[in-house]
Amino acid sequence: MSLRSKFLPACLLAAIAFPSLALAADDPDVVRLQARLSALRNDPLIGRLAAFEQMEARQAIDALAQARRNDRPGALYIAERRVEIAESAAITEAARRELGALDLQRTELLLQASRRDAERARQEAERLRIQSQIQAEEAERLRLAAEAEAAARTEAEQALTSVAGKQTAQLSAARRKEAALARQEAELVSGAKLPPSSFESRGEVFVLPAASFASGKPALAEDGKAAAGALATYLQIGKRGKVRVEAFEKDAKLARARAEAIKAALVAGGVPAAQITATGKATAATAKKAAEVVVAQ
């Protein structure tokens, strides 16, 4: 049932419950409108909403009660419209608040689903790691057993290479999926986008553009602060290795200061300082790459 359909019966009850309202004997329209306004004010769900509109309605009813006979039709029209506006405004505000609560609930559900997916991905990565370790141990046993014969040793080594390659590829794919889900969760929690990243032999590399810093200064710009906040959230999801921050600038001192600014932002976001190293490189920055944050796998 809508708020309006719940509210209208309350208006009728108020009209019955308060027969002694002012001017009841002289002006039934005033009594009727006052009853509707009282019902709105006493409604436990919406009575505290649209206070300004309720005040205007009350003033319009007072004006109707004091209007001269010639002015009465216009005053009655205004009073009725003001009461309707107050009722509609209160119902609309209540609906808006309910919608906001539903939006918040939806966001929480999405976040919970993202966390569940990330946890499943982490469990799958761990299962594949254990499976890879078991297969590697078995392959080693076979290699030792075949050492007496060169042909058998070669065959065992080829099998080991094949198995290890497949497992490495599976483990890498699982880690990438875990990272993607962690990235999604970090962006949902922080409300900001992570910088673009790629997987290399040294780890996952996030690249910050020149726009992340104030022009010619070590301080982070607003874009840089938002990216650092999202990175801090990402680094606290799951098990992340050491973090190395590298900033690039022809001025080595400025490059070092910018790297320290990124580190300070990560620490402020909850990442342990001992986990992060910061260095500056006397290399010209570009618009697309002014700093890198390397996360060891």
Side-chain angles (χ1 to χ4, degrees):
M1 183 180 292
S2 66
L3 290 172
R4 182 178 292 274
S5 61
K6 292 180 179 178
F7 172 69
L8 290 178
C11 295
L12 298 177
L13 289 174
I16 298 173
F18 298 96
S20 60
L21 292 171
L23 304 176
D26 299 327
D27 199 330
D29 288 327
V30 172
V31 174
R32 174 174 54 82
L33 293 175
Q34 285 179 336
R36 287 176 60 182
L37 192 59
S38 296
L40 172 60
R41 186 170 54 251
N42 296 326
D43 190 287
L45 295 177
I46 61 176
R48 295 180 179 272
L49 306 179
F52 179 75
E53 288 79 0
Q54 290 192 47
M55 180 192 70
E56 287 187 325
R58 187 164 52 253
Q59 292 174 347
I61 294 173
D62 291 342
L64 172 62
Q66 299 172 11
R68 291 177 299 181
R69 183 172 183 178
N70 292 339
D71 298 333
R72 175 179 169 72
L76 176 59
Y77 177 81
I78 292 174
E80 287 180 338
R81 297 295 82 75
R82 289 297 186 188
V83 171
E84 289 177 0
I85 289 171
E87 293 169 349
S88 298
I91 293 170
T92 301
E93 180 62 22
R96 186 181 296 111
R97 293 187 180 187
E98 184 177 357
L99 181 60
L102 291 174
D103 284 342
L104 179 60
Q105 183 180 8
R106 176 179 176 274
T107 300
E108 291 176 352
L109 291 174
L110 288 174
L111 181 58
Q112 291 175 6
S114 175
R115 286 175 174 169
R116 286 196 299 270
D117 291 342
E119 180 60 26
R120 283 195 291 268
R122 284 192 286 268
Q123 292 175 356
E124 178 65 12
E126 180 64 14
R127 184 187 69 79
L128 290 173
R129 185 192 67 79
I130 294 173
Q131 181 180 346
S132 178
Q133 180 179 351
I134 292 173
Q135 291 185 352
E137 291 173 354
E138 178 65 15
E140 178 66 11
R141 185 187 68 80
L142 292 174
R143 188 187 68 80
L144 293 175
E147 269 185 348
E149 299 180 11
R153 183 175 63 248
T154 300
E155 182 180 354
E157 288 176 349
Q158 290 175 346
L160 174 64
T161 301
S162 177
V163 170
K166 290 179 181 179
Q167 291 301 316
T168 299
Q170 290 179 342
L171 183 58
S172 176
R175 284 177 174 170
R176 287 172 186 265
K177 182 177 180 181
E178 177 191 356
L181 291 170
R183 183 185 187 102
Q184 181 182 3
E185 181 178 350
E187 290 178 346
L188 281 172
V189 172
S190 66
K193 289 288 184 182
L194 281 165
S197 66
S198 61
F199 288 88
E200 302 177 5
S201 58
R202 52 183 174 157
E204 187 176 8
V205 182
F206 292 87
V207 179
L208 279 72
S212 300
F213 301 95
S215 179
K217 298 180 180 180
L220 288 169
E222 290 302 319
D223 289 347
K225 291 177 182 178
L231 267 172
T233 303
Y234 175 82
L235 292 171
Q236 295 174 75
I237 298 173
K239 296 179 180 179
R240 304 283 175 236
K242 294 288 185 179
V243 179
R244 185 171 73 256
V245 179
E246 296 179 355
F248 311 107
E249 191 59 54
K250 287 184 178 180
D251 183 347
K253 184 177 180 180
L254 178 58
R256 173 73 182 183
R258 285 183 169 181
E260 290 293 340
I262 297 173
K263 177 180 178 179
L266 294 177
V267 172
V271 182
Q275 188 179 344
I276 309 170
T277 58
T279 59
K281 290 189 176 182
T283 303
T286 65
K288 293 185 177 180
K289 185 172 78 172
E292 288 182 344
V293 177
V294 183
V295 183
Q297 295 297 308

